[in-house]
Amino acid sequence: MSAGPDGPEDRVRRFATIWSRAVFPVTSTSSTRPEFEEQLLPLARRLSEALRARTFDANAGKAVGAALVTAHCTDPEALSRSLDCVDAYLVLYCGTEGDQEDQRARSSRLQHAMAAGFAQALRERTLAEQEAISAAALKAQGVVAQALHATEARFRAVFEGAAIGIGIADLQGNILQVNGALLRMFGVSEQALRSRNVMEWTHPEDAPQTWKLYDELVRGEREHYHVEKAFYRPDGTVLWTNLTVSLLRDADGEPQYQLALMEDTTERRLLNLRLRYEATHDALTGLPNRTFFFERLEKALGAGEGQRFGLCYLDLDGFKTVNDSLGHAAGDRLLVEVADRLQSCATAPGEMVARLGGDEFVALTTGADTEREVDELAARIMNALVTPISVDGRELSVRGSIGIVEGPAGERSPAEVLRSADITMYRAKSAGGNRFELADPEADARAITRHGLTTALPTALDRGEFFIEYQPLVHLGDGSVRGAEALVRWLHPQHGVLGPDRFIPLAEHTGLIVPLGRWVLEQSVRQAREWRERHDDAGPLRINVNLSPCQLTHPGLVQDTVDILERAGVAPDALCLEVTESALIGADDDLLKPLRRLAEMGVDIALDDFGTGYSNLANLRRLPVSVLKLDRSFTQSMQQFPADPVDLKIVEGIVSLAHSLSLAVTVEGVETGAQAEQLRLLGCDTAQGWYYARPGPPERLHELALVDAAG
């Protein structure tokens, strides 16, 4: 189905139109511009899809770059104009309304991939052409040899009409004959060229085997050889050639002459060098890019024994704010200035700076004493960022967080080193930023484990790896079991049983806490129904379920709770939702509204970890809570005898205040009988802790309830 007038397909076509108009003038094609536009349209679609794909694939950019070569866009200006169009218009016409910074970063990576694909395709095309020329040269060699043995007229026609340079010399290197193509390549007269000896044409970039092959040929030990060779022209410029030298024998088979066939590859070589530079350098800052950096890092890590490396991974603090407030153009100017300053910090032998993308840079130092050098390099970088940068008349302060990895070569792969540096950089950022930290293997291991748990969380819920344990709530007055708190656990395939402190923060960070919390609530309410059916004579048992701050703000909280209670056939008074005191500090009416609705339905709301925050006790009146859960820190001193009188007074005051507001008081962390008795005397209502039972399966609560009923 075609899109509307402003649909994605029309926007892709507009991009293809702009692209074709920019590139068509420098393209060798017999097509008209509209026909050329139709050739670029599928390439534009592929770039658009790569920009908007959920997972970025650089192969799309490489394929587009290669397709340009296939479409005869082999002029360097065609690639330059294509990259300019992608940079200026791809996000504008083919982007989404999502994260613009991410899309521009993707666009930049697509440009690099296009340049790499273009270079590779052009290189393959060049190799194919070289093979064809070599075949033609060998064929020409046969023709020339035959002509020499046949008629001088036929030889002269081939010799002078050839498009490649041809020269004939004797076995001592004296040049005997040259054709016009060769004279034009060198830019000299025939007399000047024939006055030279082959042995004089050395060049500093000659391959080591070049003259060894030549000696073997003139001695008659080989028939021909093919090399890439540079020559100096009289004006000092360099001529690069594909050179094929063959041995010509007389009628008796004795070596007599040497025949040289030359193809001028100077422009092609310069283009390849330019493409190589563009493929390995950042278009914005001119610094080496990720590809080039990994090549250098891999070489440094593969150095010999006794060599070390040091790496600084820099991420600018708050760079997104600059883009959001001043725009991407200002952000780009800031990055260019930062790149210049970083470049000035790494000028010693063995040092380099590269831009990985966005506002991430790396600095590498190599040698035998990098333990000291990498610290000095990091200090120079931090010092270089101290002076504010002027952008659009504004003085912007630049801060950065650096992760440092240093060690001997040969022990780790480039990916492992960069991962460690990245982890360490984020540790510096978490510590407040504007600082550098040294890599710590134990911290790396913890971060890798956290990452592994984070990526495994979504499928863990689907695979049923979570389960719930229940810790009884006991009435301090008569010792009866009044219910239990539901505590979720993760049975991880590799790490075993994990407590909520290991994965709940990760679930909150990723947003998985909402479906996980809904699952815990559903399982716990079902369990509450079963308890009430089996122990109706022991009084109604209540289930306590924790709510995270993320769940508290989720718009479906009230409806999900109502649906779960109705499906289970459980009355609202069987459920108590626990919310931490810190989550409700400074809560406005909008945040409290869902809790009020639940409380009005009959669901109890408990204020968990009470006493650990800084809430005003007078604000308890406006909170829709019916239970205060005292944090275990209040009861720790009661394990000793006599208990701290100050703690006793504090707990007594809290209990008195709670009861005056018609709030029940539950105490956590009760571990001894002395604690339980002291809390009973202070007027606390219920308690939980190891003194009564550790968290366990629901059957344990059955047993405790049965014992309680029998007693």
Side-chain angles (χ1 to χ4, degrees), residues 23 57 77 90 172 189 191 212 217 335 356 397 474 579 587 623 637 706:
V23 176
D57 182 8
E77 186 64 23
L90 181 62
Q172 287 71 44
S189 65
Q191 183 179 359
K212 177 177 179 292
L217 182 131
L335 290 175
L356 297 186
S397 296
V474 177
V579 184
L623 300 179
S637 67
L706 288 172

Side-chain angles (χ1 to χ4, degrees), residues 97 107 150 160 163 179 199 286 290 325 328 363 373 422 477 529 547 558 569 590 621 658 688 708:
E97 295 181 359
S107 173
E160 292 297 340
N179 70 349
M199 297 296 293
R290 178 184 289 268
S325 59
H328 286 280
E373 291 171 355
D422 190 26
R529 180 189 64 188
L547 277 186
V558 175
D590 289 338
R621 298 179 58 185
Q688 63 186 92
D708 175 44

